[in-house]
Amino acid sequence: MAVKHPEPAPSIAPPDERPDKPEEACGVYAVLAPGQQVANLTYFGLYALQHRGQESAGIAVFDDDQQVRLHKDMGLVSQVFDQDVLERMPGHLAIGHNRYSTTGSSKVCNAQPVVLNTRLGPFALAHNGNLVNASQLREDLREIASELTSTTDSELIAFAVQRAVNRGLDWDPAIREAAGLCRGAFSLVIGTAGSLFALRDGHGIRPLVFGHLGEPGDGQWVVSSESCGLDIIGASFEDDVQPGEIIHYLQGEAEPRRSLWCDEPAKLCVFEMIYFARPDSRFFGESLYSYRVRIGKVLARETPVAADIVIGVPDSGIPAAIGYSQITGIPYADGLIKNRYVGRTFIQPTQAMREAGIRVKLNPLPDVLAGQRVVVIDDSIVRGTTSRKLVAALRDAGASEVHMRISSPAVTHPCFYGIDTDSQDHLIAARLTLEEITAHLGVDSLAYLSQEGMVEAAQANSSHFCTACFDGNYPIAMDDDVRSSKLMLEPAGIAASLR
Ligand code: SF4
């Protein structure tokens, strides 16, 4: 009897099944700690950064014989690694990566770290962010085109480092030269047999922090996309890798060598603070939980409404809902329960199943909602499909009124710097007016946080943030092929009516 195998599934979901939230691009992690189980430590670090990418995970470990062992595969960190694998990766320096695809599709050849050989030995590179001149860089590197094994911009950065080393440069100048060829967002960790490098692009679009294991001066260093990756292994936070900075941690040296490789104005992605990064991660000296509560307070002052309860859409809407409640005096309640075990590889229900009532991620609590005028706080609206279903579910659960408050301004422009926000023609706020969105979602009222309020809540210099997905002011120019791939509606006149 012939056995028929199923057709391979497409690696990128079709447009109407793409996630209706901005999706984070990656998490990077590195440990330089002779005498420690660096693979295990990196495993835990990646586990803490799992929210930044759930498609693939990988770790490369350097041992004392200048050998590098690499293990990477599709899936969550806990699916890709087990104790047997980690025990087969002894060494003193590890580079780790969690991936969500923004350039290059979701398949194992695009998993990171990227490991390449050079005349100085092998190196491993992990990248968070997105280049906006990848085509140009590929053209610059055309002599190695036949060697490319992936479709990612990260591999291009690695080949630029390899070329510079093989032309005679040492690691530090080679990495600087490669970084100088890149335009866009890139937070990088790069490991060699005896050195760890951490580097951020000139604007510092994606975060990167570092800390130490043991006592200061022990020379045991950890670099992580977010500080929650330090906390999980008991590492002490030392500092951010600054925008435009390269830090060289040399094995055997007590202090890292810090210097700028370029000098540009800081433009941290404000969406990291609103939504992507974990609430226990610290930015500008405080947890994002505190920032998000403050956002809720500003939102309450800007957009008050008469209601009986405030609920947050788990997880990132909850701190803002608590802040909204604190200012208005409207009681906070848990009205939505989230299933936390739905990853990107989870088989999604069909449209028919959804219409039949399958709710995979969020389930409303009728005991809390019935007969209540509800303020529901969410962090953002991208395409509106999830919000619309959520509102219908709240009404099904008995809510008498549903007032939606969004703890960010309207998303009117796509991101090109490492966040998957879909193209502009899929962004509901780029196409419809506030009144039209209100009607489309079926809410009694809808209001967004103002851009001024978002920055006020950050208590930081407003010019230090990238806010392009709210105002179209892109801090880094994109190549035309990149720009035209997503900006379908420019100039976005309708977006102006939301401000
Ligand atoms: S465009 Fe938006 S999501 Fe992208 S980096 Fe800027 S603020 Fe962040």
Side-chain angles (χ1 to χ4, degrees):
M1 187 175 73
V3 176
K4 192 167 181 207
H5 294 282
E7 293 291 318
S11 55
I12 296 281
D16 59 347
E17 291 177 17
R18 288 172 63 92
D20 188 23
K21 282 287 173 191
E23 293 285 332
E24 183 52 89
C26 291
V28 299
Y29 200 78
V31 178
L32 171 61
Q36 304 267 7
Q37 293 178 297
V38 292
N40 286 64
L41 293 171
T42 302
Y43 170 85
F44 288 117
L46 292 180
Y47 188 68
L49 299 176
Q50 188 72 83
H51 60 290
R52 297 185 70 88
Q54 296 105 44
E55 289 185 1
S56 65
I59 299 176
V61 178
F62 291 82
D63 68 17
D64 293 337
D65 299 325
Q66 298 225 353
Q67 298 291 316
V68 56
R69 293 180 178 83
L70 173 66
H71 183 84
K72 56 185 181 180
D73 208 341
M74 305 303 293
L76 301 172
V77 179
S78 57
Q79 295 168 322
V80 172
F81 294 95
D82 59 28
Q83 195 53 43
D84 281 351
V85 171
L86 294 172
E87 280 174 6
R88 290 198 300 272
M89 303 180 81
H92 58 275
L93 191 160
I95 300 289
H97 191 265
N98 286 335
R99 179 162 195 266
Y100 174 90
S101 54
T102 48
T103 299
S105 57
S106 176
K107 50 190 179 186
V108 72
C109 71
N110 287 339
Q112 297 186 37
V114 180
V115 175
L116 294 178
N117 259 311
T118 72
R119 65 177 184 88
L120 298 176
F123 72 98
L125 176 147
H127 169 213
N128 173 206
N130 204 49
L131 300 188
V132 292
N133 70 333
S135 304
Q136 180 60 49
L137 186 56
R138 194 174 293 114
E139 180 62 22
D140 289 349
L141 295 165
R142 57 188 171 281
E143 75 266 21
I144 51 85
S146 61
E147 298 172 46
L148 292 173
T149 60
S150 77
T151 54
T152 67
D153 52 358
S154 312
E155 192 184 28
L156 294 173
I157 304 173
F159 270 105
V161 173
Q162 182 197 51
R163 182 176 68 175
V165 170
N166 287 343
R167 281 178 177 167
L169 293 181
D170 206 344
W171 290 114
D172 185 289
I175 292 168
R176 288 170 196 262
E177 180 182 296
L181 297 174
C182 298
R183 188 157 27 92
F186 44 102
S187 283
L188 300 173
V189 288
I190 300 174
T192 72
S195 289
L196 168 62
F197 295 88
L199 177 146
R200 272 171 100 192
D201 66 76
H203 296 293
I205 301 263
R206 298 281 145 239
L208 195 63
V209 301
F210 73 98
H212 58 82
L213 283 167
E215 296 301 317
D218 282 358
Q220 301 199 339
W221 299 103
V222 185
V223 183
S224 173
S225 288
E226 296 176 32
S227 63
C228 65
L230 305 180
D231 298 339
I232 194 171
I233 62 166
S236 303
F237 173 85
E238 185 103 354
D239 199 0
D240 288 5
V241 179
Q242 298 299 325
E245 186 179 30
I246 180 169
I247 305 185
H248 182 181
Y249 310 85
L250 189 62
Q251 189 179 350
E253 283 193 358
E255 293 299 326
R257 303 175 184 185
R258 305 184 64 171
S259 60
L260 289 181
W261 71 270
C262 78
D263 190 10
E264 290 176 292
K267 292 287 178 190
L268 174 71
C269 167
V270 75
F271 237 132
E272 291 275 355
M273 299 184 61
I274 293 170
Y275 170 61
F276 300 127
R278 259 176 51 165
D280 52 339
S281 285
R282 299 178 77 79
F283 283 54
F284 305 112
E286 70 168 355
S287 73
L288 290 183
Y289 179 87
S290 300
Y291 170 64
R292 291 171 188 168
V293 169
R294 207 159 50 239
I295 277 186
K297 291 179 178 179
V298 176
L299 184 63
R301 289 193 197 98
E302 289 186 343
T303 66
V305 63
D308 301 310
I309 57 171
V310 183
I311 67 171
V313 179
D315 290 313
S316 52
I318 287 178
I322 291 170
Y324 197 98
S325 167
Q326 287 173 353
I327 290 296
T328 58
I330 302 170
Y332 169 80
D334 289 322
L336 291 163
I337 302 302
K338 179 180 178 180
N339 185 333
R340 297 175 194 286
Y341 303 98
V342 182
R344 287 206 87 215
T345 51
F346 187 80
I347 298 166
Q348 297 296 324
T350 62
Q351 183 61 27
M353 287 173 170
R354 284 195 208 107
E355 281 164 15
I358 285 197
R359 292 185 194 122
V360 175
K361 279 190 182 167
L362 292 173
N363 202 20
L365 279 171
D367 305 20
V368 172
L369 299 162
Q372 302 291 302
R373 296 172 298 165
V374 177
V375 186
V376 57
I377 313 278
D378 203 354
D379 51 70
S380 58
I381 302 177
V382 177
R383 297 195 307 150
T385 47
T386 309
S387 306
R388 188 177 152 106
K389 286 179 199 143
L390 175 70
V391 172
L394 293 174
R395 291 203 190 279
D396 284 351
S400 59
E401 294 177 20
V402 178
H403 302 275
M404 185 166 273
R405 296 292 179 268
I406 305 300
S407 61
S408 66
V411 175
T412 53
H413 289 71
C415 179
F416 297 91
Y417 308 141
I419 299 300
D420 188 8
T421 49
D422 225 331
S423 56
Q424 197 174 24
D425 59 341
H426 286 114
L427 302 177
I428 192 169
R431 294 185 290 112
L432 304 181
T433 64
L434 186 64
E435 292 68 32
E436 288 168 335
I437 300 170
T438 303
H440 176 79
L441 300 183
V443 285
D444 295 282
S445 74
L446 169 69
Y448 294 86
L449 181 70
S450 72
Q451 197 157 326
E452 298 73 28
M454 173 179 68
V455 175
E456 174 200 328
Q459 296 181 339
N461 188 327
S462 61
S463 67
H464 288 179
F465 295 103
C466 174
T467 53
C469 49
F470 309 120
D471 57 20
N473 293 325
Y474 293 99
I476 307 169
M478 289 82 71
D479 282 358
D480 286 346
D481 60 328
V482 177
R483 193 176 176 85
S484 61
S485 68
K486 278 188 172 179
L487 277 171
M488 321 292 246
L489 304 177
E490 285 294 281
I494 292 173
S497 67
L498 292 163
R499 295 185 194 126

